[in-house]
Amino acid sequence: MSRIETGVEILAMNRRQLGLGAAVTAFASAMGQAASAQTRDPGAVAFYDRFNDQLARLPAGIQPDIRAFYELNGWRPVWNPERLRALQAAAGRAERHGLSQTDYFNFETLAADPDDAEMRTTAAAMGYARVLAEGRVRPETVEDLWEMQKNRVDLPVGLNDALAQNRLVDWFEGLAPTDIGYSNLSAGYVRYRRLIREGGWPSFRQGPTIEPGASDARIPALIQRLVAEGDLPAADGTRLTEQGIVYGPELQAAVRGFQVRHGLTADGRIGTGSQRSLSASAEDRARQIALNLERRRWLKREVSPERIEVNTAAAIMVYWKDGRPVHSNRVVCGSPTNQTPSLEKPFASVVANPPWYVPASIARNEILPRGPGYLASQNMYISNGTVIQRAGPTAALGYVKFELRDSYAIFLHDTPSKAAFNLSMRQRSHGCVRVQGAVDFARLLLSPDPALLEQFDTAQDTRETKRIATGREISVRLLYWTAFVDGQGRVAFREDVYERDAKLAEALGIAISLPKAVDDGARVANDVGP
């Protein structure tokens, strides 16, 4: 057997054992022999000889991907001037994703150290690709309960194919989400970064409420802020500034648009909540967008064309059918102390006129201490140690419950407490999601099958408790978006009621200062629903 055949045989035996004792020595020797036979390029031979030492100097978490990538490439260097230019072009688009190119690439440093440039360039490309494909942090480290489908990508294979096909830029861009929600938010981030470079907007000083028709020295700053974010056309802003400091009807209309965009009560009064939102800087808003782009990168790219999405930060639900949003409702979701978790679970049945089996913690802390009289007044009884509320018009679950499978007792339901839907801060439940117009929404979901719809309607007429299967699974996604693009193409913001932005920002090393939510409604008496 020739030396070349022996070297190739050893190479095949030990290719996956680069870091293991004697196998490493045999592997390196075989690579050197094979390289000598296969190429006369001294640079390639030197790369083979230094591979293990250079790999060991890279972060441990990325070493398996680097090893797999160079195995696919026959342990040869891959970065030539043309490919480096393509990589620089891909890196130049980092801002679109709320990222900084310098956090991942320092091409000047790479060029200054040619001995390590090859492997370090691959490590930088792989690290940046991982962030685009899966995010910078693991969601479980910044949320108490996060159970959704993660995105997963075979990066060594993808990078290898992209280089072979000369489509490096397209490959990097395709790693990030390509749905309209991410794309529009990405465009919003770029616009806010441009605003920052142009000087942002003047700070808005908080103080007494500005009532419609009043005069206030803060009006010029208010106008500039509304113009900067597009709530007021620039020409109108110039004209209104020339008219003085009166808070007139035209400016009030622009403020109401601002209030809608921020989920505030759109009454034109510039009170505490509106002033807090106005006090946020352009830099803070840009960073808030970046945090939400990160959250979106965590998620699996393929989604069901029929699904229910609840944004717990905005307390809004959207129903998607055939890949299009066809219905939206306000919801009430978990309070800051009883947060609705981030979940993705299938929904396959509705329960008409459901009883409520009260969770032990709610029963122990909020119901049983009130005594038997309270239980009787709420149509409740105790069975085998469990407090149960009978179905009825005042039952906490209302007239319909949407059951989720394996959902940690989190579900969607109707409610008799309708007033909370009119509040701007609707995070006030024990964690479940109360749906505005829940009965009509149940009918919409059952409408594809007239027989199922008839069963539901009959149960509603007779007030019978009845479980009705939908005949199909519908994905329910409980999400937390504090920045998103609304139906008018504007970036909408919500307060960080669960303080998840703050925790994520800390994990990413981002300094951020966001407005605090203003609770605009007292908890309804006797409202102890889930």
Side-chain angles (χ1 to χ4, degrees):
M1 185 178 295
S2 70
R3 290 181 63 193
I4 294 176
E5 291 171 331
T6 302
V8 172
E9 183 175 283
I10 295 172
L11 174 64
M13 291 171 57
N14 298 316
R15 194 172 260 170
R16 297 190 181 277
Q17 302 179 31
L18 267 72
L20 302 178
V24 171
T25 303
F27 179 84
S29 174
M31 281 205 304
Q33 295 173 22
S36 297
Q38 295 172 17
T39 181
R40 298 181 182 275
D41 181 358
V45 175
F47 174 71
Y48 301 145
D49 292 340
R50 296 194 310 270
F51 186 90
N52 291 314
D53 289 340
Q54 292 190 34
L55 186 69
R57 289 195 290 270
L58 296 176
I62 205 170
Q63 289 182 24
D65 280 347
I66 301 297
R67 182 186 297 117
F69 172 74
Y70 279 105
E71 183 176 12
L72 291 169
N73 280 279
W75 314 102
R76 293 180 174 85
V78 301
W79 296 105
N80 56 35
E82 180 182 0
R83 287 174 170 178
L84 283 172
R85 284 192 293 271
L87 183 60
Q88 287 176 314
R93 302 189 180 195
E95 185 180 71
R96 302 183 184 188
H97 306 286
L99 303 170
S100 172
Q101 174 181 328
T102 57
D103 287 345
Y104 306 93
F105 299 98
N106 189 329
F107 291 103
E108 290 184 4
T109 300
L110 292 174
D113 191 357
D115 289 342
D116 293 335
E118 168 70 26
M119 193 85 80
R120 290 176 62 197
T121 298
T122 302
M126 205 75 76
Y128 179 58
R130 180 72 66 192
V131 169
L132 291 180
E134 301 174 10
R136 289 177 62 184
V137 303
R138 292 189 300 111
E140 302 91 340
T141 65
V142 292
E143 295 197 22
D144 292 335
L145 178 58
W146 191 96
E147 191 169 306
M148 307 194 74
Q149 295 186 52
K150 294 181 180 178
N151 198 47
R152 286 290 180 259
V153 176
D154 190 333
L155 295 178
V157 169
L159 180 57
N160 178 68
D161 292 348
L163 289 171
Q165 298 166 17
N166 295 319
R167 49 180 302 272
L168 196 63
V169 174
D170 290 341
W171 178 70
F172 273 107
E173 289 301 292
L175 290 173
T178 56
D179 63 279
I180 192 170
Y182 185 92
S183 299
N184 285 349
L185 196 58
S186 168
Y189 179 82
V190 172
R191 185 164 68 85
Y192 274 78
R193 294 305 306 177
R194 185 174 66 249
L195 278 173
I196 293 166
R197 289 191 289 269
E198 294 171 354
W201 50 69
S203 60
F204 185 88
R205 178 174 49 83
Q206 297 188 57
T209 297
I210 304 177
E211 300 285 356
S215 295
D216 196 286
R218 294 170 289 176
I219 293 299
L222 171 66
I223 292 172
Q224 290 183 59
R225 171 61 185 278
L226 295 174
V227 168
E229 289 193 279
D231 296 297
L232 183 67
D236 293 345
T238 299
R239 176 170 48 79
L240 292 174
T241 299
E242 293 172 351
Q243 294 177 6
I245 60 171
V246 176
Y247 183 38
E250 196 171 353
L251 192 53
Q252 293 165 33
V255 166
R256 284 193 291 273
F258 175 92
Q259 290 171 329
V260 169
R261 189 164 60 85
H262 289 77
L264 303 165
T265 301
D267 56 6
R269 300 176 69 251
I270 308 177
T272 303
S274 295
Q275 291 188 34
R276 287 183 180 180
S277 292
L278 287 166
S279 69
S281 70
E283 185 69 47
D284 285 329
R285 289 309 193 192
R287 291 173 177 174
Q288 189 175 13
I289 294 173
L291 296 176
N292 283 271
L293 290 171
E294 166 74 3
R295 284 196 184 95
R296 289 176 178 269
R297 288 191 290 267
W298 296 337
L299 300 175
K300 184 178 179 180
R301 306 298 186 250
E302 298 79 19
V303 295
S304 172
E306 184 179 24
R307 62 190 186 275
I308 299 167
E309 292 188 344
V310 177
N311 180 354
T312 56
I316 294 173
M317 183 196 76
V318 177
Y319 171 53
W320 295 71
K321 185 75 178 293
D322 299 325
R324 298 183 301 106
V326 297
H327 182 81
S328 64
N329 282 10
R330 289 187 170 196
V331 299
V332 170
C333 49
S335 69
T337 54
N338 297 283
Q339 298 181 13
T340 300
S342 296
L343 292 177
E344 184 170 9
K345 297 292 180 182
F347 150 67
S349 62
V350 299
V351 180
N353 307 298
W356 179 32
Y357 291 81
V358 182
S361 60
I362 298 177
R364 181 175 60 253
N365 298 326
E366 302 180 35
I367 294 176
L368 293 176
R370 303 190 187 192
Y374 177 77
L375 268 70
S377 71
Q378 298 299 307
N379 206 13
M380 293 177 174
Y381 65 97
I382 300 175
S383 175
N384 297 322
T386 299
V387 175
I388 303 171
Q389 185 180 45
R390 297 180 180 86
T394 61
L397 303 189
Y399 290 121
V400 63
K401 171 186 176 182
F402 305 84
E403 293 187 316
L404 308 186
R405 188 173 302 152
D406 303 322
S407 61
Y408 304 96
I410 300 295
F411 48 85
L412 282 63
H413 64 94
D414 187 22
T415 176
S417 303
K418 311 295 187 184
F421 293 122
N422 297 321
L423 302 175
S424 60
M425 183 178 172
R426 298 188 294 279
Q427 289 80 13
R428 50 204 326 109
S429 78
H430 282 88
C432 289
V433 179
R434 307 172 187 178
V435 180
Q436 187 178 35
V439 172
D440 288 339
F441 181 56
R443 299 189 78 256
L444 174 64
L445 296 179
L446 296 172
S447 61
D449 189 326
L452 297 179
L453 180 59
E454 183 178 5
Q455 290 181 41
F456 180 76
D457 286 343
T458 299
Q460 291 296 334
D461 291 340
T462 62
R463 295 303 177 209
E464 173 192 5
T465 296
K466 186 176 183 62
R467 178 177 284 101
I468 302 164
T470 61
R472 65 196 189 280
E473 283 196 346
I474 302 172
S475 175
V476 177
R477 307 170 86 209
L478 307 180
L479 307 156
Y480 188 74
W481 305 144
T482 60
F484 55 95
V485 175
D486 66 14
Q488 287 71 50
R490 308 171 302 175
V491 180
F493 297 98
R494 293 297 185 270
E495 289 85 353
D496 183 24
V497 288
Y498 291 168
E499 297 187 349
R500 294 180 187 172
D501 278 355
K503 194 169 183 179
L504 178 56
E506 182 180 5
L508 294 172
I510 297 175
I512 196 166
S513 176
L514 296 174
K516 298 295 183 183
V518 175
D519 190 346
D520 59 340
R523 179 173 290 277
V524 178
N526 299 329
D527 182 8
V528 292

